[in-house]
Amino acid sequence: MVRLDENTISFPDPEQYDGHEGIIAFGGDLSIERVWFAYQNGIFPWFNPGEEILWWCPDPRFVLFPEELKVSKSMRKILDKKVFTITENQNFEEVIKNCQEISRKGQEGTWLSDELMETFNTLHRYGLARSVEVWQNNELVGGLYGIQIGKVFCGESMFAKVSNASKAGFIHFIETHKNNFELIDCQSHTDHLESLGARMIPKKDFLKILHKNNERR
């Protein structure tokens, strides 16, 4: 792994450097400029608060192509009955706060530090990050957020306080923007997203799509 210089915003080329189990660098900082530059190059931060910042670009990459989205009959009924009200970019800060605080099975604590949250909040204010909010009886019960790079949406985290809330928000987001996004970056495998159609692709294929979208900006 490569240690980053805090005074220089740069990373090893993820096309040429595999790193260790997907970790290609450590150190640096969580400045808006560094985090945004990282995402533009297919790299994302993932570490335990209080520990060294780790920067990842795994191979293979877990992604969802919008046209491959799978919606079960039971979920389609929930969406058709409008069990939830779904909005976008109405309360980014509360979505990311809930993603930090929600209790997750088999996981202690959170990887979302306060500093990283503030960086994402600032990226949202600059129009580079977006959120989906899921409401029930005027209460925020689920949501997700991520970074948008052209027609690539880099999903960061999601939460649900009631059953199917985050799944409904994710499906609604994909179906609403199916013509606006070429790829959804899910980063690392989860059974939850695999059930919705996400799959592994080689890192080089992911980076090719990402770089094409960077050129469009």
Side-chain angles (χ1 to χ4, degrees):
M1 290 186 289
V2 175
R3 174 176 284 280
L4 301 180
D5 180 353
E6 291 188 7
N7 299 314
T8 304
I9 297 177
S10 65
F11 289 94
D13 184 348
E15 291 194 51
Q16 306 296 326
Y17 186 77
D18 289 330
H20 175 67
E21 297 182 350
I23 305 172
I24 68 167
F26 65 100
D29 58 28
L30 295 172
S31 65
I32 303 160
E33 295 80 7
R34 187 186 299 275
V35 171
W36 175 238
F37 181 73
Y39 277 89
Q40 288 180 302
N41 287 277
I43 301 164
F44 58 90
W46 189 23
F47 61 101
N48 294 318
E51 297 181 0
E52 194 90 61
I53 302 171
L54 300 178
W55 300 90
W56 300 70
C57 188
D59 188 12
R61 192 79 165 220
F62 195 52
V63 305
L64 174 73
F65 292 92
E67 65 273 16
E68 296 180 3
L69 176 68
K70 297 177 182 177
V71 183
S72 67
K73 291 181 179 179
S74 59
M75 273 307 303
R76 182 57 65 195
K77 287 181 180 179
I78 289 172
L79 293 166
D80 290 344
K81 289 180 178 179
K82 300 190 183 303
V83 173
F84 303 108
T85 299
I86 301 171
T87 60
E88 292 184 37
N89 297 313
Q90 296 300 303
N91 206 330
F92 186 95
E93 290 190 11
E94 280 301 309
V95 168
I96 194 171
K97 181 180 177 183
N98 275 277
C99 286
Q100 181 194 48
E101 295 177 349
I102 198 77
S103 176
R104 303 178 192 275
K105 185 178 180 180
Q107 180 178 320
E108 296 182 8
T110 177
W111 63 274
L112 261 172
S113 67
D114 291 342
E115 184 182 3
L116 186 55
M117 282 177 59
E118 183 52 39
T119 296
F120 283 126
N121 282 327
T122 304
L123 287 170
H124 172 66
R125 291 193 286 272
Y126 287 162
L128 302 174
R130 58 195 300 172
S131 64
V132 175
E133 301 86 21
V134 183
W135 308 85
Q136 191 172 56
N137 301 322
N138 295 317
E139 179 185 353
L140 185 65
V141 295
L144 60 102
Y145 75 95
I147 304 292
Q148 182 174 347
I149 301 171
K151 287 194 169 186
V152 174
F153 181 74
C154 304
E156 269 302 306
S157 187
M158 58 176 64
F159 81 96
K161 293 183 176 179
V162 300
S163 181
N164 295 312
S166 61
K167 188 178 289 188
F170 184 79
I171 293 171
H172 174 88
F173 179 69
I174 302 301
E175 292 189 333
T176 300
H177 299 285
K178 61 185 177 182
N179 295 322
N180 300 328
F181 289 113
E182 183 177 349
L183 187 69
I184 308 298
D185 175 25
C186 303
Q187 298 180 347
S188 301
H189 175 271
T190 67
D191 293 337
H192 176 72
L193 291 175
E194 183 177 19
S195 71
L196 293 170
R199 61 184 173 89
M200 294 291 191
I201 65 170
K203 177 175 69 173
K204 62 181 180 60
D205 293 345
F206 166 75
L207 292 173
K208 182 178 180 180
I209 296 171
L210 184 68
H211 291 159
K212 180 176 66 175
N213 278 273
N214 265 330
E215 293 169 0
R216 291 172 177 165
R217 291 183 58 81

